[in-house]
C-alpha cells in the first residue's frame, strides 16, 4: 500500500564533537522518503524546496520510487535551513539556526493522484501545515502518524496540540516528550500523550532505543550498540520512515505489526547515524537492512531459567 509523506527538505550545517559540515542535504522528508522507499512504493511526497536544492537528489528520489508530483520548487527563494551542534554524548544537541525560507508560506497542495493514500506520515514541519494535509485528504486515511520537535512547541504550541489531537500515532524524542507533557518519567509521558488524542505513541530515546505505547501496554525496543556514531542528524526521521514504510507494506495496523515496524525504524536509524546527513542511506541495501533487523533480536535474546 502507498504512503504519503510531508516534511522539510533542507540544507543543514552540522557540528559533532568529531567533525563539521557547513552545508549538506537534509530535512525530515529527505530522510523519511529515502528510508521508506526500501519498504513501499510509491512514497507520495508533499514538500517545498527552493532554487538551491539539487535536482540530482530529486531525480534520485524519483528513481527510488518516490512520487514527486507533490513537490513544489520555489525558484525565487532558498530552501529551509537548519544548523545544529551536538553535545559530547551525541544524544543531545542545540539548534544553532532555523531559517524557514520557503517553509514560511508553504501551501501543501495534495495532487489528486495522492487522494486515497491509506498511510500518512506528517514529518516534522509547521503544525498548521500538518493540519492542512489532514484536512485536504478527502477520505480519512487508515493511519496518520506525526513527528514534531521542540522548535514547534516553543513557537506554535496551541496549533501543535490541535494537530496532535487529530493523529493516530505520535513519534517524539525523549527530551521533547518531557517538554510536551511536563512529565519526567517517560512512562507517564507516553501515557499522557495517549490522553492528548493519539491511539499510539512512540518515544525515541536515541542510543537507548524506543518505547511504544498502546492502551495500557508498553513495548520496549532496544537500539543496536554501535561502536561509532558519526552524526545523529536524521535518525528520528529515518526511524519514522522505516516504521511507516513497513506498516504501509504490511497494510494493517496491529500491535504486532507496530512492534516490527519499530524494529525496522530502529534499523534504519542505526544506519543513518553512520555517516553525515543522509549519505549512508544512499548506499544502503535491502540485504544490509535484513541482516541488521535480525541482529536486533539476537542482542537481547536469552534462555530464561527461574531461580
Ligand atoms: P532528526 O535528527 O531526525 O530530528 O532530524 C533532523 C532534520 O530535521 C534535519 O535534517 C533538519 O533539516 C530538520 N529540521 C530541523 N529543525 C526542523 C524544524 N523545526 N522543522 C522541520 N524540520 C526540521
Amino acid at each position: 500500500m502507498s504512503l504519503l509523506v510531508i516534511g522539510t527538505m533542507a540544507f543543514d550545517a552540522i557540528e559533532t564533537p568529531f567533525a563539521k559540515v557547513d552545508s549538506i542535504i537534509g530535512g525530515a522528508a529527505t530522510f523519511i522518503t529515502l528510508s521508506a522507499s526500501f519498504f513501499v512504493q510509491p512514497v507520495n511526497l508533499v514538500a517545498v524546496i527552493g532554487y538551491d536544492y539539487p535536482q540530482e537528489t530529486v531525480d534520485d528520489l524519483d528513481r527510488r520510487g518516490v512520487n514527486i508530483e507533490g513537490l513544489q520548487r520555489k525558484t525565487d527563494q532558498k530552501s529551509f535551513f537548519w544548523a545544529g551542534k551536538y553535545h559530547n554524548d551525541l544524544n543531545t544537541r542545540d539548534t544553532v539556526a532555523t531559517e524557514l525560507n520557503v517553509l514560511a508560506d508553504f501551501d501543501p497542495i495534495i495532487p489528486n493522484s495522492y487522494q486515497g493514500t491509506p498511510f500518512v506520515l506528517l514529518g516534522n514541519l509547521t503544525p498548521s501545515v500538518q493540519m492542512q494535509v489532514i484536512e485536504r485528504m478527502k477520505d480519512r486515511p487508515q493511519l496518520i502518524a506525526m513527528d514534531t520537535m521542540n522548535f514547534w512547541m516553543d513557537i506554535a504550541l496551541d496549533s501543535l496540540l490541535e494537530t496532535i489531537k487529530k493523529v493516530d500515532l505520535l513519534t517524539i524524542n525523549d527530551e521533547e516528550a518531557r517538554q510536551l507533557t511536563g512529565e519526567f518519567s517517560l512512562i507517564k509521558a507516553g501515557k499522557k500523550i495517549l490522553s492528548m488524542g493519539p491511539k499510539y505513541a512512540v518515544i525515541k530515546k536515541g542510543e537507548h532505543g524506543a518505547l511504544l505505547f498502546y492502551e495500557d501496554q508498553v513495548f520496549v525496543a532496544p537500539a543496536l550498540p554501535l561502536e561509532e556514531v558519526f552524526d545523529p542528524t536524521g535518525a528520528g526521521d529515518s526511524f519514522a520512515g522505516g516504521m511507516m514504510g513497513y506498516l504501509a507494506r504490511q497494510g494493517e495496523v496491529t500491535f504486532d505489526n507496530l512492534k516490527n515496524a519499530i524494529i525496522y525504524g530502529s534499523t534504519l536509524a542505526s544506519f543513518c547515524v553512520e555517516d553525515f546527513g543522509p549519505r549512508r542511506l544512499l548506499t544502503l541495501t535491502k540485504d544490509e537492512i535484513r541482516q541488521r533487523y535480525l541482529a536486533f533480536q539476537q542482542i537481547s535474546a536469552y534462555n530464561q531459567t527461574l531461580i
Side-chain angles (χ1 to χ4, degrees), residues 69-146:
E69 204 187 327
L71 176 64
Q72 304 172 34
R73 189 189 279 279
K74 303 277 177 203
T75 49
D76 56 344
Q77 291 180 67
K78 283 166 95 174
S79 300
F80 179 83
F81 173 78
W82 175 78
K85 187 174 175 186
Y86 288 86
H87 301 169
N88 281 342
D89 66 0
L90 280 176
N91 249 347
T92 48
R93 70 183 177 203
D94 294 324
T95 289
V96 179
T98 302
E99 293 171 14
L100 296 179
N101 301 324
V102 284
L103 201 63
D105 55 1
F106 178 35
D107 179 18
I109 296 163
I110 316 279
N112 266 339
S113 63
Y114 289 13
Q115 290 296 343
T117 306
F119 289 80
V120 171
L121 173 50
L122 306 170
N124 188 16
L125 89 177
T126 327
S128 58
V129 174
Q130 294 175 313
M131 180 70 109
Q132 275 176 313
V133 173
I134 300 175
E135 288 167 353
R136 290 178 181 183
M137 296 299 286
K138 291 182 189 140
D139 300 318
R140 178 63 164 79
Q142 199 176 324
L143 186 87
I144 303 178
M146 165 182 178

Side-chain angles (χ1 to χ4, degrees), residues 244-262:
M244 284 300 282
Y246 174 78
L247 280 179
R249 183 192 182 92
Q250 297 306 102
E252 205 190 350
V253 187
T254 61
F255 196 41
D256 260 345
N257 277 351
L258 268 164
K259 290 179 186 174
N260 263 292
I262 279 165

